[in-house]
Amino acid sequence: MQSNGADLVADITADNEDITMSRIGKKPVEIVSGAKVAVNGNVIEVEGPKGKLTFEHRDEVTVTVNEDAKEVVVTRDNDERTSRELHGLTRAIVRNMIEGVTKGYEKKLEIVGVGYLAAIKGDVLQLRVGYANELHRKIPSDLQVTCPDQTHIVVQGCDKQSVGQFAAEVRACRTPEPYKGKGVRYQGEYVKIKPGKSATK
């Protein structure tokens, strides 16, 4: 027996209701050993051995701490598109904060090129990457930046966004050029090298 249009609409509606459930947002976030989570209104505070982070979430979602189960639960008030997006996003941010204050985040960069090098003086990262002048980048107070040697840079911190942002800014000082690969790259990053003009003749 063929289903009529009303049945088809009902099936589609049921499918859409399933889609509105956030697979990430509905998962509780485990509070691992060493981390402390507190919620004051819309402000989330997470503290651990690596540091302390705060985040103010939007009104579309609610964050609660279940002390007995040692987990953080993120819920939303409605199924509007913005609420669904913020549901998963807020849960991911909370998870990253807990991981950051307990394990920390790290980005490693390497410098490729003859005469290219890096050094740290005080709270300033100094870069010699082929320009007439030496480049200086002030190190944010919430990050730890070290140079194991003159061609490697290690960025560490508990804030995933800050670590990634500073590493990206350093890489942007001299992005790898496509013919010899000279420049600043993430450690292990693949740089596609183009053949030179002589090779194409």
Side-chain angles (χ1 to χ4, degrees), residues 178-199:
Y179 293 102
K180 294 185 179 180
K182 296 190 297 182
V184 184
R185 66 178 73 176
Y186 297 114
Q187 186 167 309
E189 177 184 356
Y190 171 73
V191 177
K192 186 176 181 180
I193 305 299
K194 295 181 180 179
K197 291 183 179 179
S198 60

Side-chain angles (χ1 to χ4, degrees), residues 20 29 94 133 148 150 157 161 195:
T20 59
V29 183
V94 172
N133 297 320
Q150 292 184 330
Q161 192 275 335

Side-chain angles (χ1 to χ4, degrees), residues 138-191:
K138 184 175 175 60
I139 301 171
S141 59
D142 61 334
L143 298 180
Q144 298 81 48
V145 181
T146 58
C147 292
D149 53 55
Q150 292 184 330
T151 59
H152 290 85
I153 304 167
V154 180
V155 183
Q156 297 173 312
C158 61
D159 189 336
K160 185 176 184 179
Q161 192 275 335
S162 295
V163 171
Q165 179 67 30
F166 186 75
E169 291 175 357
V170 173
R171 182 183 181 279
C173 290
R174 189 78 179 201
T175 55
E177 54 88 24
Y179 293 102
K180 294 185 179 180
K182 296 190 297 182
V184 184
R185 66 178 73 176
Y186 297 114
Q187 186 167 309
E189 177 184 356
Y190 171 73
V191 177

Side-chain angles (χ1 to χ4, degrees), residues 91-148:
R91 189 264 182 195
I93 291 174
V94 172
R95 178 187 177 279
N96 290 342
M97 292 170 68
I98 293 175
E99 185 171 344
V101 299
T102 53
K103 298 180 181 179
Y105 289 98
E106 180 180 85
K107 285 281 188 181
K108 295 182 178 181
L109 303 109
E110 55 184 344
I111 303 174
V112 178
V114 177
Y116 287 23
L117 55 88
I120 294 175
K121 186 175 182 180
D123 61 349
V124 176
L125 175 64
Q126 302 172 330
L127 296 168
R128 295 181 186 175
V129 285
Y131 296 115
N133 297 320
E134 187 176 81
L135 301 181
H136 292 172
R137 289 293 177 268
K138 184 175 175 60
I139 301 171
S141 59
D142 61 334
L143 298 180
Q144 298 81 48
V145 181
T146 58
C147 292

